[in-house]
Each structure stands twice: as C-alpha cells, then as structure tokens.
Amino acid sequence: MDLGKYFPNKSLMEGVKRYLENVEPRTAALFTGAACIIGTLVVLLQKGYTQREAKAKIHNAHNRRTDSLQRAEHAVLQYNKSHPETDSALILTLSLSELTKKLQEGSLNPEEVFYSYMEKTLDLNKDLNCCTGILLESFYQMKTLDSNRKGLLYGVPVSIKENYGYKNYDSSCGVVIHLDHPAKEDSVLVEVLKKQGAIPFVKTNIPQALLNYECREGALIGGGGSLLGMGSDIGGSIRLPASFCGICGFKPTPVRLSSQGLSSTYRGQKSVPSCAGPMARDVDSLALCMQALLCDHMFSLDPTVPPVPFNVQIYQSSKRLRIGYLESDGYTQPSPSMARSVREVKALLEAAGHTLVPYRHLNVEYAIVELVVKGIMADGATTLLQKLEGSPVNPCLKAQIVQYALPIWLKKTLSFLLKPFFSRASVCLQGLCGVGSIQDLWKQHAAVEDYIQETIAEWRKCNIDALLCPVTGPAYNHLYCGKLSTAASYTLLFNLLQFPAGVVPVSTVNAEDEEELKHYKGVYQDQWDKLFKQAVSGGEGLPVGVQCVTLPWQDELCLRLMKEVEQLVKQSKA
C-alpha cells in the first residue's frame, strides 16, 4: 500500500514504515487501516482549507480591484467639477506624437490629459471588463512629473499588462497561487517609462496563465481608453489582440527590451522566448515607445539587455525593399479576409516601387509541433498545471487544460488512436507529452537552433529584406480560442524564430469574404479546420490586419515596413 499520499511528510512516513515492520501482522493491518482513514480525512481537510484559502484570496483581490475603480471614479468626478473647461473629447482624438508635442510645449498639461484618459478607461471598463485594477499611485505621480519634463513620453498615460511588476501590486497571471504576492519594486520597463515621463495608470486584462489569446488586453486601446500599452508575447499575445481590435502591435527581437520584473507561469522555458512590446493606435507610437525605452537608463538597470539604442535613420529610410510574401503558412488555411488583405497590401507595395517575391515557410508542421508545442510543454505541462492548482479555470481555457491534464500514457494512447483520421491532433498530443529527459531537452534546444539557422539561410537564398504575411483574424466568436491554440501558427512561428514581427490593421471583413468563407475547407480538412471556420464566421465589419517580419535585431526595419503599409493603406482609402 502506498502510504505516501496519506503522509505528505516523508520522515514521518518512513518512521511509520519502520514501526509496521516490527509489529505483528494483525496490529500492522489495524494500524494501516486506521492510518488510511485518518490520512484521507487529513487530505480532505487540507483540500477544503486550500479551496477556502483560494476563495479568500480571490475575494480580497476582487475587493482591491473594486476599491481602486471606485476611488478613481471619485477622483475623476471631483476633477471634472473643478475643471469644467477641460476638453477631453479633443484630447482623446490626438495621436501620441500630437499629444507629446502639446505636452512638451505646454499647450496641454499632464493633469487634464491624465483625467481625460482615466475617465474614458473607467467608462470602457464597465462594458468590456478590460482592467484588472487602477494604479492609484499614478494620481500622485501625475502631480510630480516636472522632474521628468524632458522625457520622450512626458505626461503620457500608459496601460500595462497585468503581469508587469508594479510596486505593491500583484502580478497574478490569472492564477490564485500568485495572489497576495505584491511586487517589491517596479519592473525595469515600468521604471524606464516613469523615467521618460510616462504615467502607468492601469493594469489590463490577460488570458489565464498567459497561454491563450482570448482576453480583453487590446480592447482598452482599441476603445480609446489608452493611447499606448505595454504587453508581452510568447505566441502572439501582442499581435493577436492587435489584430482582433484593429490596432498596431509590435513584438521585438527577444532581449531587445528587458523582461526583468515581468511575471510568468512557465519561467525557465527557453525554446520559445516571451518578450515585452508596445501596442498603440499607429506605428509612429510604437516607434516612439521603442525609442523611449531603448535608453541608457534601461541598459543600466538591466545589463543583460544589449545596449543598442533605437536607430531612427533606419526607421525613417525610404530605401526600396525586396519583400517576401505568403498568403498561407501551409498549416492553417487563412480566412478569406486574411488572404485578401495580404494581396491588397502586396499590390500597394509593388505600386510604391518595392519588389515582392513568393516565400514559403520551412516544414511548418514540424516547427509547430516538435519545436513550439514540445518546447513550451517540455515538462508535459506539469508546471502550468501546478500553477493552476486552486484556481477556478476560465471557460476559455478549459478545452486546453483537459488535454494538458491527461496522463502521459493516455496522451500517447489517444495519439495512436487518432493518427488515422485526425493527424494534427495526434501529433499535438504526442508533443504535449513533453521531451522526456534532460538529454532530450538539449536535443530539442539544438533542433530549435538548427531551424532558426535554416530559416535565416532560406531568407538569404531568397534575398529578402522582410516578409509580409497574414495574421490570424478576424476576432473569433466567444470560447473558440481555447479550442484553436494551433491556429495561432501565423504568430507562433516568429516567437520560435526570434524574429521581430508587428501587426498593422489594413481592412475589414466584407460581404464577399463571408460568402467565400462558406466554401472554406482548410489545409487538413479536419475538425480544427471546421472549428476555425466557425470561429471567424459572422465577422463582417471586423478589422483585419497583416503582419510584417524581419530578421533578428532588425526591429527598426520591421517598424519602417509597418509604417509604410499603414501610410499606403491610408492613401488608398483617401
């Protein structure tokens, strides 16, 4: 009999075993039976205590959130009463570059900008539930900004993703185990934002455990409640919300920006690196944010970040480019609006004098399953499941968690049974088993390195400066993201490759796209293809973007291409 589950304390269990070895069988049997009963009661009591503790933590977090929202609403109400002349409607229409100019010259002051955005954020949150809490210290920071008047982001309210460390606030990642552990200091990027005069004022919502893409992270910017937001991206968590909400998002080269002080549920995973990046209404705002962050202060706070400042000359260059393009990644057939958007932007770039050449990804299924899935889930999802213990699982995540929680033997059995008629699910289940050993983990890391070098070699063979490709869209119908994690292949691949990539909105779904969607079959014509068709159906009028990609450390070139796409699309609609 396994006494381990009844005696969590190992030394106590060993003592019990030695005792049982030295008594008569009958006594041992009676003792064992009693121990099992008592042990079971202890386990149940511990479980009950854990559940009560979890509920208490959630309740306390909810109260803190409610309190911050109510206090912010009261402050806004008081400000509006005493400053009826503030033209919030005008302030909210200004681009980041226009706003920073007016703040620097003094025609606007930080206080009126701050309260305009705070009021808009509070109004949006009532409908969208996009905020996890107001950073009340921002009210004090706003009043003491003069010392940072020369900062590139002086007086700009900035939203930050919930996992960004902010002193005295939790970064829970949506799991109970991280509640009641407030940050002891600001994350490096928050500290740099403050140094540049920005005011982090609200934390935005996230997908639970950061491994899903159904959330409201981009909604605050899309709705006009924030001009600039900071996110993080391990598989598309900046680019997919940007695509779904019709805004711009940029995933830099990993390590270009500091991740020190950002929380994670899978820290230590190295195959597919996560990285921080900005989200905004236009590309110039992304570039300004990158320029502000890539400063001596960040390089000093985090010496692991290469001290490479933003190259404005490359961003402003008008050199003609040779650009690869693809309509499909060969793994997930794009929705009609995704493919159409790439074709339209391709035509605009060619008309502007750029050279566009066809491009194909290398062995996408292998990369997604063997390198991405098996890399992120190298431990068979053990760490993720441990982090979720005691947490109520969000309905969006349940479809994923069911697969992750299966015993490895069952994953392998189901993988074998599914192989003849659902090959993608079969190989993904195999990938979810993890790598198995440290030796196999090293082999997996080596395979990732090889794939990156092979892809770079392919780019050089094609002689391309950048890549134009689809980004998943339009926004899914509710609850489909958890069922379609592999449909993020359009963004996931560039996390694996460690290539900078950004999203620009270029169109909206039209009636012709919806009609064409009726005939959608998919690459594999399997259940996931059917689910994808359902996920994007009924999206007429929703925004659609394209994705621009460059080689590692060519972030400015990526932003430059994004800017040109943005301008060409705007001109074509004029």
Side-chain angles (χ1 to χ4, degrees):
M1 178 174 289
D2 179 17
L3 292 173
K5 60 183 177 181
Y6 303 113
F7 293 93
N9 186 300
K10 288 186 178 180
S11 61
L12 176 60
M13 183 183 71
E14 290 302 319
V16 170
K17 281 184 177 180
R18 284 198 294 272
Y19 169 76
L20 294 176
E21 289 170 358
N22 294 303
V23 298
E24 63 181 61
R26 188 182 225 180
T27 303
L30 288 170
F31 184 90
T32 301
C36 290
I37 293 170
I38 295 170
T40 299
L41 290 172
V42 169
V43 169
L44 290 172
L45 286 170
Q46 287 177 333
K47 188 174 182 181
Y49 172 75
T50 302
Q51 290 176 340
R52 287 196 300 274
E53 185 180 36
K55 287 181 179 179
K57 282 186 172 186
I58 293 170
H59 179 73
N60 291 338
H62 176 77
N63 285 345
R64 287 194 296 270
R65 176 180 185 265
T66 301
D67 178 64
S68 73
L69 292 168
Q70 289 176 344
R71 289 170 67 181
E73 285 178 354
H74 177 72
V76 167
L77 185 63
Q78 294 297 111
Y79 176 83
N80 287 342
K81 283 182 179 179
S82 58
H83 297 81
E85 74 283 358
T86 299
D87 192 348
S88 294
L90 174 63
I91 291 171
L92 294 173
T93 63
L94 297 173
S95 68
L96 181 60
S97 58
E98 291 169 336
L99 182 68
T100 52
K101 182 180 179 181
K102 288 183 178 295
L103 285 165
Q104 291 284 355
E105 66 188 18
S107 58
L108 281 178
N109 67 66
E111 189 177 44
E112 55 189 333
V113 173
F114 175 82
Y115 278 103
S116 294
Y117 273 98
M118 183 65 77
E119 182 178 24
K120 182 66 174 178
T121 288
L122 293 169
D123 287 342
L124 281 171
N125 186 64
K126 293 171 183 175
D127 294 326
L128 301 177
N129 191 32
C130 53
C131 305
T132 62
I134 301 297
L135 301 171
L136 296 173
E137 285 77 2
S138 60
F139 289 89
Y140 172 77
Q141 187 201 345
M142 177 263 301
K143 295 177 181 178
T144 58
L145 273 181
D146 282 346
S147 59
N148 295 326
R149 195 179 185 93
K150 294 182 180 179
L152 292 178
L153 298 174
Y154 170 72
V156 177
V158 176
S159 53
I160 59 174
K161 190 172 178 176
E162 196 271 351
N163 66 322
Y164 274 61
Y166 191 100
K167 188 176 180 179
N168 296 327
Y169 285 78
D170 285 339
S171 296
S172 73
C173 302
V175 295
V176 168
I177 197 171
H178 285 174
L179 287 175
D180 294 343
H181 294 286
K184 295 180 180 179
E185 57 186 8
D186 290 340
S187 59
V188 167
L189 290 184
V190 166
E191 193 167 334
V192 176
L193 285 168
K194 289 180 177 180
K195 184 73 173 179
Q196 289 285 16
I199 309 172
F201 74 108
V202 62
K203 281 197 168 194
T204 53
N205 215 332
I206 52 167
Q208 188 175 28
L210 305 180
L211 272 182
N212 191 285
Y213 51 106
E214 181 155 341
C215 68
R216 298 164 181 83
E217 184 186 337
L220 186 63
I221 299 170
S226 174
L227 197 60
L228 177 65
M230 295 302 301
S232 61
D233 192 314
I234 191 175
S237 297
I238 288 172
R239 290 160 291 156
L240 290 170
S243 169
F244 288 0
C245 296
I247 61 174
C248 299
F250 181 60
K251 180 202 81 69
T253 304
V255 194
R256 189 77 198 266
L257 296 178
S258 174
S259 291
Q260 190 174 313
L262 271 66
S263 294
S264 170
T265 52
Y266 35 83
R267 190 178 175 205
Q269 183 277 125
K270 300 295 183 184
S271 295
V272 186
S274 177
C275 59
M279 305 166 74
R281 297 180 203 167
D282 56 59
V283 180
D284 274 342
S285 300
L286 302 177
L288 180 60
C289 181
M290 290 296 292
Q291 185 179 358
L293 294 173
L294 293 170
C295 63
D296 289 340
H297 191 55
M298 184 182 74
F299 304 143
S300 173
L301 290 172
D302 188 353
T304 67
V305 175
V308 182
F310 189 82
N311 192 322
V312 177
Q313 186 177 357
I314 292 177
Y315 176 62
Q316 295 178 346
S317 169
S318 57
K319 175 188 172 184
R320 297 290 181 262
L321 301 175
R322 183 176 168 88
I323 304 166
Y325 74 93
L326 57 86
E327 289 184 26
S328 173
D329 65 3
Y331 188 76
T332 305
Q333 181 184 332
S335 65
S337 58
M338 288 166 64
R340 174 179 57 79
S341 295
V342 170
R343 289 194 299 270
E344 290 176 353
V345 171
K346 170 184 174 287
L348 292 172
L349 288 168
E350 286 176 326
H354 300 287
T355 301
L356 278 290
V357 297
Y359 178 83
R360 289 183 65 185
H361 288 311
L362 302 177
N363 204 343
V364 180
E365 183 175 312
Y366 162 78
I368 295 297
V369 177
E370 292 298 320
L371 304 182
V372 174
V373 176
K374 191 174 282 188
I376 294 176
M377 299 295 171
D379 64 347
T382 300
T383 300
L384 177 63
L385 293 171
Q386 287 174 345
K387 293 284 187 178
L388 284 166
E389 284 182 5
S391 300
V393 177
N394 189 293
C396 303
L397 200 64
K398 282 184 178 177
Q400 285 176 251
I401 296 302
V402 167
Q403 300 174 61
Y404 300 161
L406 296 174
I408 289 180
W409 68 266
L410 185 53
K411 289 176 186 173
K412 290 182 176 180
T413 301
L414 290 173
S415 173
F416 175 78
L417 295 173
L418 287 170
K419 192 172 184 178
F421 55 91
F422 199 171
S423 63
R424 277 202 295 178
S426 172
V427 294
C428 281
L429 275 170
Q430 192 66 37
L432 289 174
C433 293
V435 296
S437 69
I438 294 174
Q439 184 180 17
D440 289 333
L441 179 62
W442 290 352
K443 288 179 180 177
Q444 203 270 345
H445 286 170
V448 170
E449 292 172 9
D450 290 343
Y451 187 78
I452 293 171
Q453 292 305 318
E454 288 163 7
T455 300
I456 292 172
E458 183 67 14
W459 274 50
R460 288 175 174 161
K461 179 183 174 183
C462 297
N463 191 28
I464 56 175
D465 301 302
L467 180 68
L468 171 70
C469 59
V471 60
T472 306
Y476 289 0
N477 291 308
H478 190 44
L479 296 181
Y480 277 90
C481 290
K483 304 172 186 176
L484 283 167
S485 53
T486 53
S489 56
Y490 285 97
T491 49
L492 274 168
L493 197 62
F494 301 116
N495 294 87
L496 173 72
L497 290 167
Q498 302 184 29
F499 287 13
V503 165
V504 186
V506 297
S507 185
T508 56
V509 180
N510 58 37
E512 290 77 15
D513 295 326
E514 284 292 288
E515 185 62 31
E516 188 179 340
L517 183 64
K518 294 177 182 178
H519 308 289
Y520 181 95
K521 297 295 183 184
V523 175
Y524 293 81
Q525 300 185 27
D526 58 17
Q527 182 61 25
W528 286 346
D529 284 330
K530 293 176 183 176
L531 284 172
F532 181 76
K533 179 180 178 180
Q534 295 169 16
V536 299
S537 65
E540 187 172 350
L542 292 179
V544 185
V546 295
Q547 193 170 195
C548 301
V549 187
T550 52
L551 291 175
W553 301 103
Q554 295 186 7
D555 304 73
E556 292 88 345
L557 180 61
C558 184
L559 286 162
R560 174 254 155 120
L561 178 57
M562 292 169 64
K563 173 66 176 176
E564 186 153 5
V565 168
E566 179 183 61
Q567 289 177 326
L568 291 172
V569 169
K570 187 176 181 180
Q571 290 167 10
S572 71
K573 295 178 179 178

